[in-house]
Amino acid sequence: MAKITLSIIKADIGSIGGHIKPSEKLLQTVENYIKIHGKGLLIDSYVGHTGDDIAILSTHTKGVLNERVHKLCWQAFVTGTKVAKIQGLYGAGQDLLKDSFSGNVRGMGPAVAEMEIEERPAEPFLMFAADKTDPGAYNLPMYLTFCDPMHNAGLLLSPGIKKGFKFVIMDVSYTKADKFIELNTPENIYDIAVLLRDPNRFVVESVWSRATGEQAASVSTTRLHNIAGKYTGKDDPVALVRSQKDFPATGEILSPYSIAPYVAGFMRGSHSGPLMPVKKNSPISFFDGPPIVSCLAFCVKDGKLTEPADAFDHPYWDYVRVKASKKAEEIRRQGFYGQAMLPMSELEYTGVMDTLKELEKKFIIKKSK
Ligand code: 13P
Ligand code: 13P
Ligand code: MG
Ligand code: MG
């Protein structure tokens, strides 16, 4: 069996009633486009949504950043955008920042998480998709899953996992090219923590097994507001994580999501809110949020996907959702104040900046005698 590639490409191309969810017709349009035009290129595909973002998962043998695969997804989103416009959906074509396709979709708006793998006899993996947040939202879960035996019992129990992992971390403030660092666990876990504590700037891009050299995880690291230079919506991120054997068990990958950590995003992409684990195809609601993350588990054989198992569709996660709602309500009580709204550098609208510019003229500097 040749190597196979898992690709997730996702975009917000329009949504019903504000930034809630795509219409059924829009979702169907994207799914049909991929089914029809992906023949002969893709082995298999799955299309779903998380909040207002549509994610296309595909399997193929073409490797990562493949022009034909990326172009197929881009064209599916372009075709979907036409439907979104006809239906009068909000933000039609929101994440398609360029007029024409060139090479691959990185830097063009859609989020991408891909990996090329040597299929194991059983190949379980997880597809994460988050809305109303940004790629740094995966920092804490990735750290805890791959570095902390409080979440990953395999670090104590499984010799392969105990050998540790290599983290590739991007500095997303650098926009001229990809700027990244490679750090190994367990010896560099404090250095990794120093970077990951600042999720606006440093973002986990991928994780690799030191036991086998195989890739364990891939996260979309694009930041739309760095691409566009102005507000275009949050760069709602997707991620792929392989599980079992020399990778963490599925439950160890899910475990950190119990925390529902405060992340950047929420209303107008400019607030802090708890990351709520949700069921597949969940919409957005309270205060254009809270930030949500879905997780679909698959197995893949010769590139053929099983149906997804909805990892957060379980009574345990109902309890976490209640907890996340309480955390959301608590931080919303302080509205715009302090930690509830993001720092100036992360605000996705220019309103505050414009006001400050005006007020600056009215400030008085008292002359000392
Ligand atoms: P494996 O031994 O098949 O990796 O499974 C272990 C497991 O999933 C325990 O949670
Ligand atoms: P999206 O990035 O999900 O489109 O949300 C934008 C927004 O402003 C929500 O309030
Ligand atoms: Mg939107
Ligand atoms: Mg979105």
Side-chain angles (χ1 to χ4, degrees):
M1 178 69 198
K3 286 188 165 185
I4 70 143
T5 309
L6 306 174
S7 298
I8 310 175
I9 298 182
K10 77 96 238 179
D12 175 350
I13 51 168
S15 164
I16 305 177
H19 294 278
I20 291 183
K21 64 176 216 173
S23 65
E24 284 301 325
K25 195 165 176 184
L26 181 50
L27 210 53
Q28 274 304 317
T29 303
V30 172
E31 197 170 348
N32 289 342
Y33 189 95
I34 296 290
K35 283 261 160 353
I36 293 163
H37 295 88
K39 280 206 183 92
L41 176 61
L42 303 182
I43 303 171
D44 210 347
S45 63
Y46 173 87
V47 176
H49 78 90
T50 301
D52 60 6
D53 294 292
I54 297 179
I56 305 166
L57 167 68
S58 67
T59 61
H60 52 90
T61 54
K62 308 294 178 200
V64 302
L65 294 175
N66 178 266
E67 178 158 0
R68 285 177 65 203
V69 173
H70 281 230
K71 188 165 189 181
L72 172 75
C73 295
W74 177 264
Q75 288 302 342
F77 289 137
V78 168
T79 305
T81 297
K82 287 181 194 143
V83 170
K85 284 185 177 154
I86 290 166
Q87 287 194 300
L89 298 189
Y90 194 69
Q94 177 183 284
D95 286 354
L96 306 184
L97 303 180
K98 305 280 158 86
D99 292 329
S100 57
F101 180 82
S102 62
N104 67 69
V105 300
R106 278 199 71 197
M108 298 182 69
V112 190
E114 293 182 293
M115 49 174 132
E116 190 176 36
I117 63 170
E118 196 91 59
E119 257 185 22
R120 298 168 291 170
E123 186 58 61
F125 73 92
L126 309 178
M127 167 188 182
F128 287 93
D131 188 28
K132 305 299 182 270
T133 186
D134 60 17
Y138 296 116
N139 277 11
L140 184 63
M142 289 289 180
Y143 178 82
L144 294 173
T145 288
F146 289 100
C147 303
D148 188 350
M150 297 293 279
H151 289 268
N152 184 349
L155 289 166
L156 309 183
L157 299 172
S158 162
I161 294 175
K162 194 179 173 181
K163 290 207 174 77
F165 296 89
K166 179 180 79 180
F167 273 69
V168 180
I169 297 170
M170 287 262 259
D171 178 350
V172 293
S173 71
Y174 191 81
T175 51
K176 279 181 259 180
D178 285 352
K179 181 180 173 187
F180 62 92
I181 187 171
E182 299 185 353
L183 292 167
N184 283 327
T185 72
E187 58 269 36
N188 298 135
I189 59 167
Y190 298 145
D191 293 337
I192 291 170
V194 163
L195 298 177
L196 299 189
R197 60 147 223 109
D198 183 359
N200 296 326
R201 173 148 184 214
F202 298 107
V203 174
V204 175
E205 190 255 0
S206 58
V207 183
W208 304 73
S209 162
R210 291 179 79 182
T212 63
E214 283 277 297
Q215 186 164 4
S218 171
V219 182
S220 65
T221 50
T222 35
R223 297 224 314 162
L224 291 185
H225 80 101
N226 288 348
I227 298 168
K230 61 175 174 38
Y231 182 74
T232 49
K234 266 284 170 204
D235 24 19
D236 305 320
V238 288
L240 281 166
V241 189
R242 295 165 79 191
S243 71
Q244 305 299 136
K245 300 295 177 195
D246 287 329
F247 303 123
T250 296
E252 291 164 344
I253 299 163
L254 301 178
S255 173
Y257 291 90
S258 294
I259 297 167
Y262 288 113
V263 295
F266 222 164
M267 175 59 74
R268 298 179 187 274
S270 301
H271 293 79
S272 295
L275 185 63
M276 179 186 276
V278 295
K279 298 176 193 181
K280 94 172 168 226
N281 298 339
S282 284
I284 287 295
S285 181
F286 169 62
F287 201 59
D288 281 9
I292 59 172
V293 60
S294 64
C295 176
L296 301 183
F298 291 88
C299 276
V300 57
K301 187 76 176 175
D302 301 330
K304 276 276 170 205
L305 295 166
T306 59
E307 75 272 26
D310 190 348
F312 291 136
D313 185 1
H314 184 277
Y316 176 79
W317 298 102
D318 290 336
Y319 154 77
V320 175
R321 285 188 272 275
V322 170
K323 191 171 77 171
S325 297
K326 286 181 181 156
K327 289 182 73 166
E329 193 200 10
E330 201 50 50
I331 197 153
R332 286 309 313 137
R333 286 178 64 150
Q334 69 179 64
F336 60 83
Y337 180 72
Q339 303 303 314
M341 202 184 260
L342 295 181
M344 198 106 74
S345 58
E346 291 298 316
L347 291 180
E348 301 215 353
Y349 285 75
T350 57
V352 168
M353 229 70 98
D354 297 344
T355 303
L356 282 175
K357 218 182 274 169
E358 284 308 306
L359 293 177
E360 185 60 30
K361 296 174 198 158
K362 299 184 184 169
F363 270 93
I364 296 160
I365 298 172
K366 198 170 177 182
K367 298 243 162 57
S368 56
K369 284 188 202 123

